[in-house]
Amino acid sequence: AMIKIYKKFDGEIKDLWLELEENSNIFPFQSYHWLLNWQKTAGKKYKVFLTCIFLNDRLEAIFPFGIKSSNLISKLEWLGGSHSDYMAPILRFSHEGVIINFESLWGEVLSALPNFDILNLSKQIPELNSRENPFLNIYPSNEIMHSYQSVFDNSWSEFQAGIPKKVLADSVRQRKRLAEHGNLKFNFFDSDEQCPDFLEQLFSFKQQRYVQMGVKNFLESKDHQDFYSKLPLILDSKTKVHRSSLTLDGEVIALHWGVTYLKTFYYLMPAHNTGKWSKYSPGKLLLEDLLKWSHDNQFTIFDFTGGEEPYKKIWSNRSFLLYESTHAFSIRGKIYLYFLDAARAVKKIIKKLLGK
């Protein structure tokens, strides 16, 4: 095996990556253009280590790694951060050599990488190309959340039969109530000209909601906003950005920013009006429209990705677990993880005492 590490996205690695992409099962979050855009915007603080494994002079795998240093601790992570819902290497279809010899190849990869304190691989999927994800066996791995999907293998009415009747009846009621105030319309957009203020409106709704919920507003950062505004609408032949809205007499009451990859629709960034229209659940109505649109347009999977939000459980009919693998590679790293575990334990106890 030959291990080669590229520290930039340009030049030779671009052609290698795009060829491998065409011959592998990946998520949009591992595509060259997605991660390049992330590295230029939200991922600026990471040093890039695009680790390539060649077997018999052919590229078989790319591990898109980055090292981030903060508080005197350096961490090796998958590139993509909060903007990548699944993290994984890119493996050629015929990648048996990589999986069979994974432990020895991984040892060679570690030797080729610079020193770091902690390996922290988050949002990992249980399987890679129908084989068990080897990272989950090499290092201590914790279940962090479920990922939820709606699989469409029947008619729309048969899909709806799996949704609680009360949920569907509530949607009908809310649509009727909104119709009393004006014309309710589902829209999707193919070009910027059709929706010039789309992202501005999305960020506004999202930030209002973050304030309401008392959670961290990551969109305060221009770099995070730039991730969305600078991502090409067509990333490659398989991957496109999908933008949609729900309007009432032309006023936007809900929006969604997502991605389609082959026959999978990724539900990634929903937002809705937090003012007078919020009582009509416009976000839920737009979700319903997107599910129907995906079904009608021959998508086979509607992927809610990770998270335990109740609505994902209601609308999905399949799920799997996502994992985090963590390991210390230095004394400093061990001390850091020890205190991190202790802090988490204390947090758990406090939550229990407060009855949360």
Side-chain angles (χ1 to χ4, degrees), residues 1-41:
M2 181 178 83
I3 312 294
K4 191 169 181 183
I5 294 176
Y6 295 86
K7 296 181 182 177
K8 285 182 181 173
F9 272 85
D10 49 9
E12 186 183 324
I13 184 64
K14 180 179 180 180
D15 294 334
L16 287 168
W17 193 318
L18 292 174
E19 185 277 329
L20 187 61
E21 248 182 59
E22 284 299 313
N23 295 286
S24 64
N25 274 330
I26 63 162
F27 299 104
F29 318 114
Q30 279 74 54
S31 75
Y32 176 82
H33 292 290
W34 183 280
L35 287 178
L36 168 66
N37 180 62
W38 178 82
Q39 194 267 326
K40 285 179 171 177
T41 55

Side-chain angles (χ1 to χ4, degrees), residues 47-140:
K47 285 183 179 168
V48 170
F49 296 92
L50 309 174
T51 307
C52 298
I53 297 178
F54 294 83
L55 298 177
N56 301 321
D57 295 329
R58 188 172 78 158
L59 178 63
E60 293 292 326
I62 297 175
F63 293 76
F65 286 138
I67 292 180
K68 186 183 180 185
S69 300
S70 61
N71 304 327
L72 302 175
I73 294 288
S74 58
K75 291 183 186 176
L76 182 78
E77 299 178 356
W78 294 117
L79 296 177
S82 60
H83 296 283
S84 290
D85 289 49
Y86 300 130
M87 312 280 216
I90 303 153
L91 300 173
R92 192 174 290 278
F93 288 132
S94 54
H95 66 292
E96 270 66 22
V98 174
I99 296 294
I100 291 164
N101 304 300
F102 189 81
E103 289 205 33
S104 63
L105 286 171
W106 179 240
E108 290 182 50
V109 167
L110 287 174
S111 301
L113 286 165
N115 291 337
F116 54 89
D117 298 307
I118 291 167
L119 172 84
N120 184 41
L121 303 180
S122 192
K123 291 184 274 190
Q124 297 206 96
I125 52 175
E127 292 186 342
L128 298 175
N129 284 14
S130 306
R131 292 281 195 101
E132 191 177 5
N133 185 342
F135 279 114
L136 305 185
N137 293 325
I138 293 181
Y139 298 112

Side-chain angles (χ1 to χ4, degrees), residues 304-320:
F304 292 97
T305 73
E308 302 297 344
E309 295 92 333
Y311 74 85
K312 294 184 179 181
K313 297 172 192 180
I314 290 168
W315 291 96
S316 63
N317 52 24
R318 188 183 78 179
S319 68
F320 57 83

